[in-house]
Amino acid sequence: MLLTASAATLLCAFQAHAQDSGGLRGAVAETDVTGTLLGRGQAGKAQAQNAANQAPADQNPPPQYAPESTGAVPDTTDTAASPDPSLFALPPNTDDPFADDPPPASTRPTSAARKRTEDARNRNTATTQADSETAPSGQPAEEVDDDTTTGTVRTPTIDSEQVLKLDEGAERAEAIEGLNRPRDDNPFAATGIRAGSFVLRPSLEQGITATSNASASSGGSSGVLSETTLRLNAVSDWSRHSATIDAYGILRRTLSGEEIKETQAGIDGKLDLELGDELRGHVEAGYQRRPESGSSPVAIEGTLSQPIRQTFTGSLGLEKDMGKARFGITGRVEHDMYGDAELSTGGPISQKDRDSTLATLTLRGGYEISPALTPFLEAEVGRRFYDEKVDASGYERSSNRLGARAGVELDLGEKLSGEFSAGWIREGFDDDRLNAIGGPTVNANLAWSPERGTMVNLAASTEVEGSTTAGESGSVLHSARLSVEREIRANLTANAAIGAGYRDYSGSDGHDVIFNAEAGATWWLNRYAGLTGRLRHEQLKSNLEGRDYQANSVFVGLKVQR
């Protein structure tokens, strides 16, 4: 009984407390219906009003919810004017002690509220697009300032926002095949070998020569020879001065026919110096070693071979420009040495009485009419010294030289360059029994290019030749040579030359007429090798007995260069 009474008392005491549980009992207020139908916006606004009425006057009211879309919730003033316009409103329950304390509104919006919000957003988007489409032509549509992020936005990299300077050494190099290389004007020309400040261009020619006169003399016979020629050209790569070196070597050996064993070699060097103040210097040096030609004016009877002749040359000159006037001075030295001749009967015969040294000094003065034309005058003095004052015949052949020339110097660039002169020369001997040698002189060195790929060269000279024949002073040789070289194709080069000479013997009516001609071609297989061939004809006619000869030859070989 006691336990039953206690339980009944507790149940009666907690009955009012059960009414306090959220939304279980009591009358349904209009705020509940409004919160359910309109979502969180209106419920939050009702709670904010209740909290403001209950809060003390000295506290700041909390912020109220204000929806962005117009008409999402009814206006507060309308609600205040009509406190309960609903049809389902119930009369106030004055007996309910909790009527003034409405239950908390639901915080989850209904599906209808969510649908209305989504429709409002779609209408705003459609309005914005319509405004942009109906913008006047030529005027940009007003941009919609919408900072709302609707998806994942990729953050840009630092390299895209900053212009970083790239190291020049780290730049990507283009492939060699893709480079725009300049066109090579002569793809088959020798490239050369770099050696310090010089560019070397060596070449080697090996072939076979078939000739009707192997020794090129009056008593020569036919033969087949092996001929090897080695050449070297070196050009400096200096900014101010320049130097050039040309060297060659020729080896001829008999394969069949007349026995020939010849070796020729030579080297020439030239140095041009720019000394400043319109002053220039020129230095030249050279050496040649070769058998004496069969057309030499000194005939040695009964010999098996011609003596070896060695020639050393050297010169030093200065040029000075003073306005349009041109002045120059050149000193030159030439020394000839002759080897012994081998007799057919056995034993050598000395040729030392022919060894001599010629020293000359040349003065030149000119006036530049135009940059391409400069006439000039030259005066030459010199002396020839023989190593043996008296030769084997008892004559003193040392002599003094005098000469004068007038000419013109041409400079039209690559089109035409060189010089041409004519004059007179005379050599008087120390021995009164010998007549002086003299005569007109013609000298020329011209290079003409009438068109691209064609070069024409003209060379002419006058030379005083000594003699060891008793009672004879010597001779004067006039010679000229005209050559043409034509680049028919990039890999095919043709050349032709014609030469003539006239030798006048002093103190007699004797003379020699020399003629020679040749034609050849080189077909380059590539930049480094080519096939070459040439035809040559030469002859000498003289009014002196035993000097006439004629020779025809054909050469075919291979030429390599670097």
Side-chain angles (χ1 to χ4, degrees), residues 141-282:
E142 183 179 359
E143 297 182 359
V144 178
D145 187 7
D146 188 2
D147 296 333
T148 304
T149 301
T150 59
T152 303
V153 179
R154 182 176 181 179
T155 303
T157 61
I158 297 177
D159 296 342
S160 63
E161 296 181 354
Q162 299 180 3
V163 180
L164 302 178
K165 184 178 181 180
L166 183 64
D167 184 7
E168 296 180 358
E171 293 182 358
R172 182 175 180 180
E174 188 177 357
I176 296 177
E177 293 81 0
L179 296 178
N180 295 326
R181 294 179 295 179
R183 178 186 176 185
D184 193 349
D185 294 336
N186 193 349
F188 293 91
T191 57
I193 303 172
R194 171 70 63 174
S197 59
F198 282 82
V199 178
L200 309 180
R201 292 182 174 87
S203 66
L204 176 63
E205 186 179 85
Q206 175 62 53
I208 296 176
T209 299
T211 177
S212 62
N213 190 338
S215 61
S217 61
S218 58
S221 60
S222 62
V224 177
L225 311 176
S226 171
E227 185 171 334
T228 304
T229 303
L230 176 65
R231 298 184 185 275
L232 174 65
N233 172 260
V235 179
S236 67
D237 189 15
W238 303 337
S239 60
R240 184 176 181 181
H241 311 298
S242 63
T244 304
I245 300 175
D246 291 298
Y248 73 92
I250 302 175
L251 183 65
R252 302 178 72 206
R253 295 291 185 269
T254 298
L255 299 178
S256 65
E258 184 180 359
E259 185 67 24
I260 296 295
K261 188 177 181 180
E262 294 181 358
T263 301
Q264 301 181 32
I267 183 172
D268 293 311
K270 183 177 181 180
L271 175 64
D272 294 329
L273 302 174
E274 292 291 340
L275 305 179
D277 195 20
E278 301 296 334
L279 182 63
R280 297 177 297 276
H282 306 282

Side-chain angles (χ1 to χ4, degrees), residues 502-527:
Y502 181 82
R503 178 179 288 113
D504 182 20
Y505 292 91
S506 177
S508 67
D509 59 353
H511 62 269
D512 297 338
V513 177
I514 305 171
F515 175 81
N516 57 74
E518 69 176 47
T522 302
W523 177 39
W524 293 103
L525 305 175
N526 50 46
R527 189 185 289 270

